[in-house]
Amino acid sequence: FSDPASNLGLEDIIRKALMGNLEERQE
Amino acid sequence: SRMFLVCPMNMSPRVDPQKSGHEVWEEFSRSFTPAVREVVEFAKKIPGFRELSQHDQVSLLKAGTFEVLVVRFASLFDVTERCVTFLGGNKYSVDALRTMGSGDLLSSMFDFCEKLMNLGLSEEEMSLFTAVVLVSADRSGIENVNSVEALQETLIRALRSLITRNHPNESAIFTKLLLKLPDLRSLNNMHSEQLLAFKVH
């Protein structure tokens, strides 16, 4: 529980949103 | 025993008692995910943010998303009518939310939002302030502190210049804004404690 952001699933949402942009740039 | 989720990033504070803890959590997650994605999209538009390492981009967003959301959704807190609008569109009075179990966090959020809204910032000023909130070199887990610090300083300089230009006779506004940063940290800590209590519950 020491990392609330990970607990909430935030990290996953953030990574996906950031990666989406990377994929767009690669295209 | 009824359960309530008093965070306005929910559609409603009332939780269906028939739903399992997992279902409640999933629903809450679906409700706040679009707002979190908006924060990421906002971050991507901050000049220089995408030049930071991916690790630091994630670290800043993980640590700062709550604070950015507080600033972006400050208008959900109606100080005059003492009520909060949830994402579902319904308003709930502070007294009603208090009976549902909200505590010091909600009162502190009201105080913060009232002071922030009273500054009467423009959309552009608010946006730049939000960028300053997000790009903080003292967040935990930052690997390249110098790069984040350099970007943070550039953003603070830009904010000072914008505020000075727009409010030439109100030099205290910039100082007041910077003093909001520790207030936001404090709200963030209180929020993390409540999340912990919620998960344990």
Side-chain angles (χ1 to χ4, degrees), chain B residues 147-158:
Chain B
S147 300
V148 180
E149 218 162 49
L151 180 54
Q152 182 183 16
E153 280 165 15
T154 305
L155 291 168
I156 290 177
R157 269 198 302 274

Side-chain angles (χ1 to χ4, degrees), chain A residues 1-25, chain B residues 25 28-29 32-33 36-37 40-41 44 49-50 54 57-58 61-63 65 191-192 195-196 199-200:
Chain A
F1 297 133
S2 60
D3 186 355
S6 297
N7 257 331
L8 270 176
L10 266 194
E11 183 163 354
D12 191 41
I13 301 166
I14 288 165
R15 280 190 187 280
K16 280 181 183 158
L18 281 173
M19 295 298 280
N21 188 267
L22 284 178
E23 282 159 18
E24 278 166 31
R25 284 203 303 188
Chain B
W25 194 250
F28 180 33
S29 177
F32 68 68
T33 294
V36 174
R37 286 203 191 111
V40 177
E41 292 308 314
K44 286 176 183 173
F49 185 84
R50 294 299 266 165
Q54 199 172 329
Q57 291 178 43
V58 172
L61 282 161
K62 268 175 66 181
T65 290
H191 184 250
S192 297
L195 275 177
L196 168 66
K199 288 289 274 189
V200 170

